[in-house]
Amino acid sequence: MTLPAGSRLGPYEILGPLGAGGMGEVYRARDTRLQRDVAIKILPDSLAADPEALARFEREARAVAALSHPNILAIHDFGVEGGRAFSVTELLEGRTLRERLAEGPLPVRKAIECAAQVARGLAAAHDRGVVHRDLKPENLFVTDDGRVKILDFGLAKVEAAGEVGGDASNATQTPTRHLATRPGVVLGTIGYMSPEQVRGTAIDHRTDLFSLGAVLYEMLTGQRAFRGATAADTMTAILREDPPALSGIDRAVPPALERLVHHSLEKNPAERFQSARDLAFHLEAMGGAVSGAAIPSVERSDDAPKSQRGRGIVLTAAAALVAGAALGVALDRSLRGPATAAPPSLRQLTYTGADFAPDASRDGKLIVYTSEREGRQSIWLKQYPGGDEVALTSGPDELPRFSPDGTQILFIRLAGAKRDLYRVPVVGGEPRKVLDDVLFADWSPDGREIVFVRRRQEGDKSISAIGLVDANGDGAREIAREENQALVAPRWSPDGRTIALINRGAENTPGTILLVRPDGTGRRVLETPPPAGALTPAVWSGDGSALVYGKEEGFVSAGALGGSGRIIRQEIDSGRSEVILWSPMRPADVAILTPGRLILGGSTQRVNLLVSGLASGPAASGQGRAHRWITRGNASDRQPIFSPDGEWVMFSSNRSGNLELWKVSITTGAIRRLTDDPAQDWDPAFTPDGRGMVWSSSRTGHFEIWSGNADGTGARRLTDDGVDAENPTMTPDGAWVVYNSSNPDKTGIWKIRADGTQATRLVPGSWSTPDVSPDGQWVAFRTRAIPRVVRVARVSDGRLEPQVIGSNAGFNNNARPRWLTSGREILFNDTDEDGNGGIFAQAFVPGTDTARTRRLLAGLDTGQPIDSYAISPDGTHMVQAIADTLDSLLLAEGVPGIEPPGPAARR
């Protein structure tokens, strides 16, 4: 019978019904002991007297209680009250996969993500000896924050210890009744049963993998894999037929994904994936690379194309990266059968999670790189093969480069915002300064000269200057310059005729490669192949006819744990390009060791939101107090902003597999998705009344400013920038939206009416991340040039104040500046003289130098960098996006088409 609201089962107060099925009624209830809402499942009266039904109900509770995994519904309690059996589980907010499929098939990327989560949950269940046996869309629940939960273990089979193939010591020890499959008995749901279930023969964990294959097929097509006019016809199809080809549906499904689905749906269990963990690895590797097209191991374009670090992730992730890399490279081949050539292999080179920026000596026997393994950036040397490692410098240093004869190493030494060029002998010794004020450098092929890059601000222009200097530090001269662009990592060609530099342009825009001669003439831009993505420094291959570089899948600031990319070889003359390797990490560096051997440096990152109470409101200084995580996981949750009432924090996140906007309640922890669009959505801000929001979205193919309701509905485009309009902020009266433009023809800080009219440039130049003051009179923003200091301009007419906010250590000041609620101080993230990071405050008084008022407002002692932050409207709390990064060096072998730079390749 239906339980009325207000009735009780032990300590649980019934709040209302949630649903009902053949094996139970489900209610929302309140746990009066722990003051939390839960879900209660009650065996209906019609089955309460049935011993077998009661046993099955208890068996489900015990089976789930033996499991603990984020992709399996958690059970809190089980009991009998007044002759009524009930189980208590976590309360989920969202909908079943069946309800979602009523709207049509899922996007390919999201289908892969959901299936991978289910596979992970099944792996945990199988490790404990539990086989679900009734996997179907009705038993999969998708929460509002994108998590997939496996429900209903009522038909679960609990195997004997070790029977599933996991660790026997992990098998459940609960006294659950063993329900082995009896010959001739069919258990499951027609349409998702495995052939062995249909036949009523013995089953094992591989039956769940078949069912998951059927569910994945339905997620991709919106149609069941096996269907017939009658139940008998459907069962016959399961036993004898293959589902219709995915390639025949009206959408792009990668061929490798189709092979994976059919591999899961093999009639013979021995021909399927043999474990849920293996299936999860394949899905995750594919999910990192899928972009609506096939996933080839080598991708070629025959025509010229037209178009900082913290530590915190456990090191065991590195092993998963290598395993995922091998899968990502070989997946297409392994699923279609024997290959004619072995794919590239990847293995770990360093194991600290703190190593980056590698280079290799010309003889292929030494590798040099930057490492933070001892808490301070320094230059390390490693033998190859052999593996012995030694620190060459005491730091803080970075970006080492071998001299052509292998006896010297160039590197950059950091001292706050000051970055100078040094060199040190490979055999060790005292480093010698070569030149002041250098960001990047490289040797000429004969070792007599050095090319370097400097960056400076000239009025409203950010200048990247290319220069040459003799190897001994004499005769420095500028040969070329670029305005409002970010040139990095010069690389001198083996024949000495060309210098290649990565032109990262404005932040978060697709990169290009700039080619110039050593005399500064012959400027040429080499376009890189689509899709857009940040580029690593490039290296010359062989005789200098081609460059090799990495390209991230997406924009650099949207990075997250598990990010991926491609390693590309591109010919200089023709512009032809080919993908020679898929990276399991977000690529950051490449270096050629020997023919076919490539050193790959890259990182994986997660960013989580931490709330810190400020000791005495905005006037406090020093360390924040009462740290509390409001998001915690492997996603990239960043760019937080408080709602005007202080209850919600809106942020951008890739937790759904795409960059979207979310919000989390400060008091309850409830999380809600606000946008759901295939494009990238980020840079959120609330309207002053809290009923709307503005953000930056790439829905038109590049970033523009959009506005909409606070729940994400009613989205409309405000700007027509043409390249990238980003980082919107509103005046307190809601009349104007202020933002920055990265369009090279109109860079600067802009304002536009909330209705999308009267777009006006306030401050021309290379500026970024504006924030309007509480009184609406001023806008603070940071420079793109180093040091990244904060400047202020008047919103009414754009008049730029002479005052500089920040210190000479502004190299790490990447986040948006924020105004304190008083409007008399500006916040910025930075490091102090000892290199400790935090959020600093400095007074703002028009026309006055306030450098002496600079103070630490809040910070962390974990050594993890602060990606972005916001302060609550009442000034009592701060939310910080804290980044954890794992930097690794991998060795790729068997990579086609690469040779070390020089007239003769080393072997």
Side-chain angles (χ1 to χ4, degrees), residues 653-795:
S653 178
N654 61 1
R655 59 179 52 215
S656 67
N658 192 54
L659 195 59
E660 295 164 347
L661 301 185
W662 297 70
K663 68 177 182 179
V664 56
S665 170
I666 291 295
T667 57
T668 69
I671 295 179
R672 299 285 185 270
R673 182 189 300 179
L674 300 177
T675 63
D676 187 5
D677 190 275
Q680 309 257 24
D681 292 321
W682 65 354
D683 301 335
F686 282 101
T687 57
D689 60 9
R691 292 183 294 183
M693 63 181 189
V694 291
W695 71 98
S696 181
S697 178
S698 62
R699 301 181 188 201
T700 60
H702 52 266
F703 284 99
E704 298 285 0
I705 306 302
W706 289 65
S707 68
N709 300 321
D711 61 0
T713 62
R716 67 185 187 90
R717 182 164 59 92
L718 294 184
T719 63
D720 188 18
D721 181 83
V723 177
D724 281 322
E726 297 176 290
N727 300 299
T729 174
M730 293 196 77
T731 55
D733 59 5
W736 293 95
V737 177
V738 181
Y739 61 96
N740 65 267
S741 169
S742 300
N743 190 323
D745 296 330
K746 50 182 180 180
T747 57
I749 303 299
W750 287 68
K751 68 177 181 179
I752 192 171
R753 289 283 185 186
D755 62 2
T757 62
Q758 297 183 22
T760 306
R761 181 157 59 174
L762 290 176
V763 188
S766 186
W767 314 103
S768 181
T769 56
D771 192 54
V772 172
S773 62
D775 62 8
Q777 295 186 43
W778 305 97
V779 57
F781 44 87
R782 66 172 175 85
T783 61
R784 296 188 193 272
I786 297 171
R788 295 189 178 103
V789 294
V790 178
R791 301 294 300 273
V792 180
R794 206 158 54 185
V795 173

Side-chain angles (χ1 to χ4, degrees), residues 32 48 154 200 364 492 572 615 702 836:
T32 58
W492 212 316
I572 299 300
H702 52 266
N836 300 314

Side-chain angles (χ1 to χ4, degrees), residues 1-32:
M1 62 182 286
T2 300
L3 295 179
S7 60
R8 296 175 70 95
L9 287 175
Y12 304 104
E13 179 184 355
I14 302 299
L15 301 179
L18 290 174
M23 280 301 296
E25 301 166 348
V26 184
Y27 295 86
R28 178 189 288 265
R30 184 72 172 172
D31 185 339
T32 58

Side-chain angles (χ1 to χ4, degrees), residues 180-486:
T181 306
R182 293 171 293 175
V185 176
V186 176
L187 294 175
T189 299
I190 296 174
Y192 303 94
M193 292 181 181
S194 65
E196 53 269 34
Q197 282 179 295
V198 170
R199 294 189 180 97
T201 58
I203 68 166
D204 60 19
H205 61 286
R206 293 171 295 184
T207 194
D208 286 345
L209 306 188
F210 184 95
S211 299
L212 178 53
V215 172
L216 177 55
Y217 181 97
E218 190 167 348
M219 286 193 286
L220 293 167
T221 65
Q223 302 292 328
R224 296 195 180 191
F226 304 100
R227 52 191 182 274
T230 66
D233 291 339
T234 301
M235 297 170 79
T236 299
I238 291 172
L239 293 173
R240 299 181 181 177
E241 300 175 8
D242 290 328
L246 288 171
S247 56
I249 66 175
D250 187 23
R251 65 185 310 192
V253 175
L257 178 57
E258 181 166 13
R259 285 187 287 273
L260 182 146
V261 172
H262 285 287
H263 189 44
S264 303
L265 295 175
E266 291 287 355
K267 310 299 184 186
N268 183 352
E271 296 177 1
R272 297 175 204 148
F273 287 99
Q274 294 302 292
S275 76
R277 187 163 285 106
D278 285 347
L279 178 55
F281 278 148
H282 278 72
L283 286 164
E284 288 163 356
M286 182 175 294
V290 97
S291 58
I295 306 176
S297 54
V298 175
E299 182 181 83
R300 181 180 299 274
S301 172
D302 291 326
D303 297 318
K306 303 295 183 184
S307 6
Q308 271 118 280
R309 310 177 190 272
R311 307 291 167 256
I313 299 177
V314 292
L315 189 57
T316 51
L321 283 173
V322 176
L327 289 170
V329 170
L331 181 61
D332 185 69
R333 294 170 176 171
S334 66
L335 292 180
R336 71 172 178 243
T340 57
S345 62
L346 279 166
R347 63 183 177 88
Q348 203 80 19
L349 265 182
T350 62
Y351 296 88
T352 69
D355 306 318
F356 52 96
D359 190 30
S361 61
R362 291 289 179 92
D363 61 7
K365 295 181 179 179
L366 292 174
I367 301 167
V368 67
Y369 50 91
T370 310
S371 181
E372 285 185 348
R373 63 185 64 187
E374 295 180 347
R376 186 178 178 89
Q377 282 190 187
S378 55
I379 306 303
W380 284 68
L381 197 66
K382 180 182 181 70
Q383 292 182 340
Y384 177 83
D388 290 343
E389 297 173 287
V390 63
L392 283 182
T393 70
S394 58
D397 305 315
E398 66 179 9
L399 306 179
R401 298 291 297 165
F402 272 109
S403 62
D405 62 7
T407 64
Q408 300 278 323
I409 293 173
L410 280 179
F411 64 92
I412 304 296
R413 173 152 289 178
L414 292 74
K418 185 174 172 57
R419 295 160 61 84
D420 301 327
L421 181 63
Y422 279 71
R423 70 180 189 185
V424 65
V426 169
V427 295
E430 187 65 26
R432 173 188 170 187
K433 182 186 285 190
V434 178
L435 192 64
D436 289 328
D437 186 25
V438 174
L439 299 181
F440 308 92
D442 190 35
W443 299 89
S444 64
D446 60 9
R448 296 178 180 178
E449 291 185 293
I450 296 168
V451 58
F452 62 89
V453 173
R454 287 171 167 161
R455 200 172 300 155
R456 61 182 180 270
Q457 196 77 19
E458 293 183 359
D460 60 358
K461 297 177 181 178
S462 175
I463 305 298
S464 286
I466 309 168
L468 299 183
V469 65
D470 295 343
N472 62 8
D474 295 334
R477 66 270 189 199
E478 183 177 307
I479 63 169
R481 53 187 276 159
E482 292 286 316
E483 295 182 359
N484 297 328
Q485 302 297 327

